[in-house]
Each structure stands twice: as C-alpha cells, then as structure tokens.
C-alpha cells in the first residue's frame, strides 16, 4: 500500500480542471484541485512528502502535508487547493484498495441520488476562464475573447475597469435559460445578478442605485414567473456590494422568495455577512473563499449565514468538508457546496454529500461544456446528471474513471499528462480536427 508516484494533469474545461493521481503498486486514485496559478508545480513539490507512505493513513498524511507547508499558507491559499486534490485522490485510492465507495469511508450514505443545482450564469452560457479568471478561447469554445484586463466579466470577483456594455442581459434571456434548465430536470437553479448594466456609475465602490436594483429584481422576477414556486432559485452577486445597498437589493428580491442570495457583500468580513442575514428573510450564502474547519467556525458561531457553500476541491479535502458540514449541522445550517470542477471533482463532492445529513444541493457549473459527460466512465449509460441528480452506485472509490482518450483531447497545452508529454494528435479537440465535430 506504499505510495510510489504522484502526478498531475490539467483539462481545459471552462476552468483549468487540475487532476492529481496518487499511485501505489496495486492501484491509483484520482482527485481534483480547484484551479489556481502555479498549482501543478505546488502538487509536484509536495509529492516527496507522500512517497513511501501507507496510502491508507489519509488523515495522518493530511496533517503531514499541512505542517510541511504551514509557512506558505497555514489558513488558506494554493497549498490547500493542492492538498484537497491529493487527499481526494487518496480516498479514491483507499476505496479501491478496500473495494468500497468513498461515502462508506465517510460514515455511510443518507442518500444515493445527489441533488444538483444548475448554475445558469447570467442568462447565457459561460465559456472558459484562465487560472487568473480572464476569458480565454479554447478550441472547443464558440466565442472569441481577447485577453483584455479591461473586460469586466461577471465571473470576476470585485468589479474593476469599465463594464462591458457590449453584453446585454434581459429578463427574457434569464427566463429562457431557466426554462432550459428545468426542462432538463433540474429542481434548483442559480443565476448571476451582478451583470454589466447601463445604470452603473462606478464599478469600484460597491454601490447600487435604484435603477440597478430594479433591473436586477426584474431579472429575478422573470425567472420565478417562468419556473413557478416548485423550483428553488439562488442568486449570486460575487462579493460586489456595500452592506446597505446589498440590503436594499435583498429587500427587492424578497417577493421572489429565493432559496438563497450568495455573496452579496465581500467574503472576509463575517460581521457584514451577519448584518445581511439579520436584515433579510432570504438566506444569505457564502463560503467558496474559505478554507478549513477553522475558517468556518466563527461563521456558524455568529449566525452569519443561512446556508454555507464550501468548495470541496479547495477547502482542505473530503474529510475536512465532512467536518465542516458536521459543524454546520450543529447550528442547523444546510450545506450547498460550491463546485466548478470536472466530473472527477463533482463525483468526489457527491460522496461527501451522500454522507452528510444537512446537504442541500451541489452546484453544477459546466452545462455549456460539450464534453463534460464524456470525460468519465460511470458504469452506466446516459448523461451523468439525470432528473436534476447524480446517482451513486456501489462502485469502489469515487465510482468513476477518467476516459483518457477523450480527456487528453482537452489537455491544457504545456502541462504534462500524468507525467507524460502528449503528442499533437492526442491533444486535439474533436471540433478542431478535419472532419471532426460532435
Ligand atoms: Mg459564487
């Protein structure tokens, strides 16, 4: 059971889906890290900590990695993205070695159909972003973006530069996108409200005027009118607004009866989040910027959030995610995990969700990536998400294997593929080959 090798591969999806593989002489496990600049180099630098160790001692190895890089990020940062992927790979590996699903290793399942909510972005598809969140144009995409730092893309955190008013967002677009999601079987959906609009005076100060609030409420109302009351709707604001204007927005959204309002204010000030929660009957959600159980303790103790949204590919690993969910449960808070990953990270998150009583729904952020379903073998036919849920079976580990032939076509140029340099023909999206396409 001794670890012999640790390797990485990066798939260029709508984010850099960064995979880690941990090998023993018997088997290997695969995990996924949340994208970050320099991430594969960090994983490679940490590999010597694991070589020769017993892969089954997952939590001890987690502590070994933690203390080895505490000087570089004891409370958060890229080292934790790396550790999260390595730890998830270890659980997949141990599940295979013991011939049990990962959810059994986390305490057993409460459910085997994991509810998924579809991120509908800004009423249209989100294509690809680089590891510093600049829009990029991979070979599989249909839109061309210049790599301009002036682009104020909705996926960015705090707005900067000028709003890109070439993009127009309308209530009709939001309603159409909501209908598409519900027709696919989703019972929970999410939209961005912090989209460029012609009413903004300043993109730095976090202020909202009455016209902006009305515009955002009209987008939200169109979604509710289209899908009815039986669909849960969340809205994301990507940390943009000052507290008093975010409260005005929350009040304007209250007639829509949203399931949650995500990150209306910046994420680092827990008291600001608590003020938001006290001021509105809509549940305030946040958590994708936080790390480790220690990063969430004060959130729960202060009652700052109605729902909590840790990202399991960066928060510190699958067991740490379970610990955070258990801590949330002691405060009767549901967990709605953030997720922008490939099917590898998504399935890993599903195993935690299966073993978590207070799980609400897991995010799906790749509805516009045409090859997302083809990246793994699940052991069954049809799309991975059916009727708004991912079904977990009894297969060992996370229950899916990467389809290497497909995945290699979308490998990020310049990155090794689990230790190997790819040939040009292996690393060529189908749409870019003569006579190709899907
Ligand atoms: Mg978000």
């Amino acid at each position: 059971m001794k670890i012999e090798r640790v390797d990485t591969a990066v798939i260029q999806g709508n984010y850099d889906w960064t995979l880690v593989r941990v090998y023993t002489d018997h088997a290997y496990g695969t995990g996924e890290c949340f994208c970050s600049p320099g991430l594969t180099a960090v994983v490679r630098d940490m590999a010597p900590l694991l070589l020769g160790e017993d892969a089954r001692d997952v939590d001890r190895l987690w502590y070994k990695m933690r203390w080895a890089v505490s000087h570089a990020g004891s409370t958060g940062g890229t080292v934790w993205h790396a550790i999260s992927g390595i730890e998830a790979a270890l659980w997949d590996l141990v599940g295979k070695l013991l011939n049990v699903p990962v959810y059994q290793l986390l305490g057993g399942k409460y459910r085997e159909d994991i509810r998924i909510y579809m991120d509908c972005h800004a009423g249209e598809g989100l294509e690809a972003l680089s590891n510093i969140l600049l829009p990029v144009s991979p070979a599989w995409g249909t839109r061309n973006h210049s790599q301009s730092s002036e682009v104020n893309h909705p996926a960015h955190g705090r707005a900067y530069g000028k709003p890109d008013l070439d993009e127009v967002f309308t209530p009709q677009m939001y309603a159409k996108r909501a209908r598409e999601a519900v027709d696919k079987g989703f019972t929970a959906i999410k939209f961005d409200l912090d989209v460029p609009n012609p009413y903004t005076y300043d993109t730095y100060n976090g202020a909202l005027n009455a016209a902006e609030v009305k515009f955002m409420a009209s987008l939200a109302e169109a979604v509710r009118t289209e899908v009815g009351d039986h669909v849960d709707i969340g809205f994301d604001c990507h940390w943009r607004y000052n507290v008093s204007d975010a409260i005005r927005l929350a009040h304007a959204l209250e007639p829509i009866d949203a399931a949650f309002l995500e990150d209306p204010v910046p994420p680092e000030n827990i008291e600001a989040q608590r003020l938001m929660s006290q001021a509105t009957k809509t549940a305030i959600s946040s958590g994708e910027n936080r790390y480790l159980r220690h990063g969430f303790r004060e959130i729960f103790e202060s009652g700052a959030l109605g729902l909590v949204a840790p990202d399991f590919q960066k928060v510190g690993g699958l067991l740490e995610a379970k610990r955070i969910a258990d801590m949330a449960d002691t405060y009767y808070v549901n967990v709605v995990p953030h997720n922008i990953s490939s099917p590898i990270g998504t399935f890993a998150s599903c195993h935690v969700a299966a073993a978590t009583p207070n799980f609400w729904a897991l995010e799906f952020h790749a509805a516009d990536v045409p090859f997302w379903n083809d990246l793994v073998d699940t052991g069954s036919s049809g799309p991975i998400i059916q009727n708004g849920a991912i079904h977990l079976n009894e297969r060992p580990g996370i229950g899916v294997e990467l389809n290497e032939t497909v995945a290699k076509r979308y490998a990020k140029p310049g990155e090794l593929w689990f230790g190997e340099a790819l040939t040009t023909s292996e690393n060529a999206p189908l749409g870019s080959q003569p006579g190709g396409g899907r």
Side-chain angles (χ1 to χ4, degrees):
M1 311 299 179
K2 298 230 178 300
I3 296 171
E4 296 185 341
R5 230 170 91 204
V6 179
D7 279 329
T8 60
V10 182
I11 300 169
Q12 202 166 29
N14 51 0
Y15 294 91
D16 283 358
W17 292 331
T18 305
L19 307 181
V20 182
R21 202 166 263 176
V22 179
Y23 302 77
T24 66
D25 56 348
H26 287 79
Y28 63 77
T30 311
E32 182 164 351
C33 316
F34 190 103
C35 60
S36 178
L39 183 53
T40 52
V42 175
V43 174
R44 283 196 297 274
D45 280 351
M46 295 179 73
L49 296 166
L50 300 168
L51 300 182
E53 291 278 10
D54 188 330
R56 295 170 298 183
D57 295 338
V58 180
D59 206 30
R60 182 180 62 78
L61 296 178
W62 185 91
Y63 267 91
K64 184 178 182 183
M65 289 188 282
R66 175 185 184 172
W67 294 117
V69 295
S70 61
H71 65 292
S74 57
T75 58
T78 297
V79 294
W80 284 104
H81 299 217
I83 292 173
S84 297
I86 294 169
E87 193 253 21
L90 287 170
W91 285 120
D92 184 40
L93 172 57
V94 174
K96 289 173 177 171
L97 292 172
L98 303 179
N99 200 31
V100 293
V102 168
Y103 61 71
Q104 295 288 2
L105 301 171
L106 296 172
K109 65 179 185 291
Y110 286 86
R111 61 189 69 81
E112 53 194 26
D113 291 305
I114 309 303
R115 191 185 189 203
I116 306 294
Y117 81 80
M118 178 171 146
D119 191 327
C120 303
H121 313 305
E124 62 168 12
L126 169 69
E127 291 199 341
L129 299 173
S130 74
N131 61 19
I132 53 168
L133 301 189
L134 286 178
V136 294
S137 303
W140 57 265
T142 55
R143 277 192 274 165
N144 286 316
H145 298 286
S146 60
Q147 287 225 4
S148 166
S149 61
E150 284 296 301
V151 174
N152 173 19
H153 195 278
H156 276 105
R158 201 65 183 246
Y160 62 88
K162 297 171 189 159
D164 181 3
L165 293 178
D166 291 340
E167 291 187 281
V168 176
F169 301 93
T170 66
Q172 292 76 18
M173 286 169 57
Y174 276 58
K176 178 170 176 283
R177 182 81 162 160
R179 172 52 51 196
E180 290 167 1
V182 172
D183 285 349
K184 286 179 187 166
F186 288 95
T187 61
I189 54 179
K190 184 173 87 176
F191 284 87
D192 298 342
L193 288 183
D194 56 319
V195 292
N197 68 74
Y199 315 111
T200 303
Y201 294 118
D202 188 309
T203 56
Y204 289 95
N205 66 9
L208 285 169
N209 59 50
E212 289 178 287
V213 171
K214 280 184 182 165
F215 167 71
M216 294 157 89
S218 74
L219 299 175
E221 189 180 349
V223 174
R224 173 59 80 204
T225 302
E226 180 66 32
V227 301
D229 288 342
H230 65 290
V231 174
D232 285 316
I233 309 169
F235 296 104
D236 197 345
C237 293
H238 299 100
W239 323 280
R240 284 183 196 269
Y241 304 117
N242 68 50
V243 172
S244 58
D245 287 337
I247 290 172
R248 288 169 64 213
L249 173 63
H251 287 174
L253 294 176
E254 284 187 352
I256 284 98
D257 200 11
F260 60 86
L261 179 59
E262 181 176 321
D263 287 314
V265 294
E268 59 275 350
N269 186 325
I270 293 172
E271 177 62 11
Q273 293 177 323
R274 193 184 67 79
L275 289 171
M276 283 297 310
S277 286
Q278 284 198 330
T280 176
K281 65 183 182 185
T282 302
I284 301 300
S285 173
S286 182
E288 67 189 73
N289 310 90
R290 291 191 172 271
Y291 297 85
L292 302 168
R293 74 199 90 146
H294 314 286
F296 286 84
R297 179 183 55 81
E298 193 183 344
I299 290 264
F300 300 128
E301 288 177 350
S302 62
L305 298 177
L307 283 166
V308 69
D311 188 301
F312 295 175
Q313 280 67 54
K314 69 156 77 157
V315 80
L318 304 185
L319 183 56
E320 192 69 358
K322 177 76 165 82
R323 287 167 170 147
I324 291 163
D326 288 342
M327 188 158 57
D329 197 37
T330 64
Y331 291 87
Y332 317 117
V333 170
N334 277 181
V335 181
V336 54
H338 181 256
N339 172 43
I340 61 166
S341 55
S342 81
I344 295 291
T346 301
F347 269 87
S349 294
C350 283
H351 281 261
V352 180
T356 297
N358 50 322
F359 165 75
W360 192 85
L362 172 68
E363 182 168 9
F364 172 53
H365 211 288
D368 306 298
V369 180
F371 55 89
W372 193 83
N373 276 293
D374 304 328
L375 287 172
V376 291
D377 165 29
T378 63
S380 55
S381 59
I384 291 171
I385 303 171
Q386 298 190 22
N387 299 318
I390 290 179
H391 180 75
L392 295 183
N393 56 31
E394 297 280 332
R395 301 213 312 175
I398 62 168
V400 296
E401 280 297 330
L402 201 60
N403 181 329
E404 300 247 356
T405 308
V406 173
K408 280 178 181 175
R409 292 186 194 127
Y410 305 98
K412 185 177 182 182
E415 291 281 354
L416 291 176
W417 185 264
F418 299 121
E420 296 174 27
L422 295 181
T423 64
T424 308
S425 61
E426 286 176 310
N427 182 201
L430 284 183
S432 69
Q433 295 167 335
R438 305 179 69 79

